[in-house]
Amino acid sequence: MADKLKFAVIGGGSWATAIAKMLCVNQEEICWYMRNENAIDHIKNFKHNPNYLSSVEFDTQKLLLTSNINEAVSYADYLIFAIPSAFLDGELAKITLPLQDKIIFSAIKGIVPETSLIVGEHFHVQYDIPYYNIGVITGPCHAEEVALERLSYLTIACSDADKAKFVAQNLSGNYIKSKISDDIIGTEYAAMLKNIYAIAAGIAHGLGYGDNFQSVIMSNAIREMKKFIRKVHKMKRNINDSAYLGDLLVTGYSVFSRNRMFGNMIGKGYTVKSAMMEMSMVAEGYYAVKSAYKLNQGYGAKTPIIDAVYQILYEGKEAKVVFKKLTDQLD
């Protein structure tokens, strides 16, 4: 029966496009929801997404494309959400069908602003979906390298190991290696936090700090991440695993990292608004830092990097001054 279970991808961006590409290797048909009807028409006619990863060519016979999110919900057993966290609540508001019998996997790396919850917790609290029907898809894996079919790694987390294995099998391929984890909360928080640290790395680069400081900020970031996640969800985990450290490193160093790019622009003197207008994609870390900072007011973890990024992005403090103070707090 498991081989008859159906997938739907929710989202039209680069990560949604990459996930659709991976699923098409293993599925005879998938449903793909995106709100942009022009993009849907383009894919039907030209076999690629005009706005994201346009080099990826799809077999359109395998795609049930729709701009009606309820059609996707009705079609699938497994719903994979891959839209920016800032827009998730608005998309969910369009759903009129029950979600309780669906299996939800989040490929979203951020916190839902309306509830200040990570996506898995949002589905559990707001939609009464049990945790054994909720999972997380994390890296280290950039959509752009999936498009290029470069070797990439995924971690699929779910408290139900069978569901994690099933998703892992359907995303795996010649250039995609997947492993499973039961740390659904920790991996999702790590995926959110690494975007904040990538912004910090970008700010440092924009300010003119070199590779030496980059290595220091990354080594401090993984320790800071460990302290934060331990406060949120204490369990046995190896923070040096690729789902945590690996994802942090690729997001902090890669030229494909939109969060690093956003931070670099801030470091060079762009305002938040002008940096956002310049970029064609959403930097999840911008929204995440506000939620993480406020959440940590209750937890009390020592997070100088998160605090510094928050001060720059939300309190309007000068990046050069904030980072000068930050350098004295790192080791």
Side-chain angles (χ1 to χ4, degrees), residues 5 10 35 42 46 68 105 109 147 171 254 271 282 288 294 307:
L5 296 175
I10 312 297
R35 59 183 179 176
H42 191 98
F46 301 104
N68 183 341
F105 270 76
K109 296 161 177 132
L171 291 174
S254 176
T271 65
V282 174
K294 292 191 172 181
D307 297 348

Side-chain angles (χ1 to χ4, degrees), residues 61-267:
Q61 297 297 313
K62 289 190 170 189
L63 299 177
L64 175 60
L65 293 155
T66 180
S67 60
N68 183 341
I69 196 169
N70 284 291
E71 184 178 357
V73 171
S74 176
Y75 170 91
D77 304 286
Y78 280 75
L79 301 173
I80 299 179
F81 285 82
I83 57 181
S85 58
F87 307 137
L88 177 63
D89 198 56
E91 290 299 319
L92 292 176
K94 300 175 184 176
I95 298 176
T96 58
L97 300 175
L99 291 173
Q100 284 78 11
D101 62 337
K102 303 297 179 180
I103 300 164
I104 309 291
F105 270 76
S106 168
I108 301 170
K109 296 161 177 132
I111 284 182
V112 183
E114 290 80 2
T115 59
S116 295
L117 298 171
I118 54 173
V119 176
E121 291 176 331
H122 183 82
F123 276 107
H124 178 69
V125 172
Q126 300 294 114
Y127 294 90
D128 297 321
I129 298 173
Y131 275 120
Y132 58 77
N133 278 344
I134 298 173
V136 179
I137 300 169
T138 64
C141 185
H142 275 308
E144 291 81 1
E145 293 205 347
V146 174
L148 295 169
E149 299 191 357
R150 292 178 178 170
L151 182 61
S152 301
Y153 290 75
L154 294 173
T155 299
I156 315 299
C158 184
S159 61
D160 185 329
D162 290 335
K163 293 184 177 83
K165 288 176 183 176
F166 182 69
V167 172
Q169 289 166 359
N170 280 279
L171 291 174
S172 297
N174 291 335
Y175 55 91
I176 302 292
K177 295 184 182 294
S178 299
K179 71 173 187 177
I180 67 169
S181 167
D182 61 353
D183 185 15
I184 176 175
I185 302 296
T187 53
E188 190 166 7
Y189 268 102
M192 176 270 290
L193 291 168
K194 54 97 176 182
N195 287 331
I196 301 172
Y197 299 130
I199 290 178
I203 292 173
H205 185 266
L207 288 171
Y209 289 91
D211 292 341
N212 292 336
F213 183 67
Q214 178 92 341
S215 67
V216 170
I217 205 168
M218 287 291 101
S219 64
N220 277 265
I222 192 62
R223 283 175 278 159
E224 185 171 305
M225 179 188 288
K226 182 178 181 179
K227 293 172 187 174
F228 189 103
I229 297 175
R230 184 188 291 160
K231 290 279 188 179
V232 175
H233 183 59
K234 190 173 183 178
M235 67 171 284
K236 186 177 180 181
R237 64 173 62 86
N238 185 352
I239 203 71
N240 296 320
D241 281 352
S242 59
Y244 315 97
L245 178 58
D247 209 7
L248 169 66
L249 292 176
V250 75
T251 309
Y253 284 114
S254 176
V255 296
F256 293 128
S257 171
R258 67 194 72 171
N259 289 283
R260 178 185 165 87
M261 183 190 307
F262 175 74
N264 185 51
M265 294 167 74
I266 297 297

